Amino acid sequence: MSDRLTGLVLLALAIAYGVTASGYQAMIGDPLGPAVFPLVIAIPLGLFSLYLIVRPDPGPDWTRGRPLLMQALSVITLLLYAYLLEPLGFIVSTFIAVVVLGWLLGAKLAQAGAAGVGIAVVLFVLFNNILGLPLPAGLLSFLG
C-alpha cells in the first residue's frame, strides 16, 4: 500500500510541476523556452509514479536504524544547503554539503574535503564564468 500512496503523491507532484511549467512564456529567440526543463522532469516522474501505482512492491521492507538515520541526515543536509546558499554563497555552502554527504556515504573526511573543494570550485567556474549564470557569492563576495 505504501508504494501506491507514494505513487499518488509523486503523480500529483508531476502534474502540478507540469501544469506550472506549461505556463512559462518563451523569450524572443529562445527556440525551446523555459518550460522544457521542468517538463523533462515532470514526464519521467509521472511515468514512474504510474508504475508505482500499477505494480507496487508486494512486501516493501522499511528502512530502520542507521540507514534511516543516514537518509534523514542527508535530507537535512540538502535542506540546509538550500537555506544557506544565499548567506554563505555557492562555494562555501556547496563545499559543506559535499563534505557532509561524502562523509555520510562513508568517505574519509580528507577525501570528502578534497571532493568538496573540487566540486564547489569547478561548478562555480562553470556556471558563473563559462555559462554566465550568476551564483551567490555570500561570504566570498570580496573576490568579485
Side-chain angles (χ1 to χ4, degrees):
M1 185 53 118
S2 62
D3 283 356
R4 287 196 170 111
L5 291 175
T6 302
L8 286 173
V9 169
L10 291 176
L11 182 60
L13 180 65
I15 291 170
Y17 204 60
V19 168
T20 303
S22 66
Y24 293 154
Q25 297 296 321
M27 297 166 58
I28 296 173
D30 188 3
L32 296 176
V36 171
F37 182 71
L39 289 176
V40 166
I41 293 174
I43 292 170
L45 178 61
L47 294 173
F48 174 69
S49 65
L50 290 173
Y51 177 79
L52 285 177
I53 293 168
V54 174
R55 298 197 41 108
D57 190 7
D61 186 24
W62 291 91
T63 304
R64 293 177 190 84
R66 184 171 169 80
L68 181 61
L69 176 64
M70 294 303 189
Q71 290 175 6
L73 289 174
S74 296
V75 169
I76 290 169
T77 299
L78 293 172
L79 291 173
L80 284 173
Y81 173 71
Y83 180 74
L84 296 173
L85 192 59
E86 283 288 328
L88 295 182
F90 181 83
I91 293 177
V92 174
S93 57
T94 301
F95 168 76
I96 292 170
V98 169
V99 169
V100 172
L101 291 172
W103 177 73
L104 287 173
L105 290 170
K108 294 179 180 161
L109 208 48
Q111 294 170 327
V117 168
I119 290 171
V121 170
V122 166
L123 287 178
F124 184 81
V125 169
L126 175 69
F127 284 101
N128 199 58
N129 298 8
I130 296 173
L131 295 175
L133 301 170
L135 296 171
L139 295 175
L140 301 177
S141 60
F142 64 89
L143 293 177

